[in-house]
Amino acid sequence: MSETPSLQLLVQWRDEADQDAAQELFYRYADRLVALARTRLPARMARRVDAGDVVQSACRTFFVRVRDGRLDIR
């Protein structure tokens, strides 16, 4: 993993369609987000839904909103 700040990677992805930057961002935070999702998913839901799937869905929504300009990144 590079030492590039996360915000810079996000801007690279948004402005240059740099998929490597997006991938690095995802892998930089994925493990922590999955762990967080596991602690927040209700037990009944956790039996049917994988925390990793929840994180992938949330990340997909995040990247789409950044790309579409619906999230202001500064």
Side-chain angles (χ1 to χ4, degrees):
M1 225 180 298
S2 74
E3 297 288 324
T4 307
S6 296
L7 184 56
Q8 185 177 340
L9 287 171
L10 190 58
V11 170
Q12 272 178 244
W13 171 79
R14 183 194 63 194
D15 295 348
E16 303 167 20
D18 183 347
Q19 293 304 311
D20 290 336
Q23 184 176 14
E24 183 168 342
L25 274 172
F26 178 78
Y27 287 121
R28 186 176 285 185
Y29 295 103
D31 290 340
R32 287 184 278 175
L33 290 171
V34 168
L36 179 63
R38 281 190 183 117
T39 67
R40 303 291 184 177
L41 280 174
R44 292 181 74 192
M45 184 179 278
R47 281 179 252 154
R48 297 176 298 156
V49 178
D50 182 65
D53 293 337
V54 171
V55 169
Q56 283 185 0
S57 178
C59 287
R60 184 178 318 113
T61 299
F62 172 77
F63 280 109
V64 166
R65 288 182 179 173
V66 168
R67 181 195 63 210
D68 294 346
R70 291 186 282 162
L71 286 177
D72 185 23
I73 56 168
R74 293 182 198 187

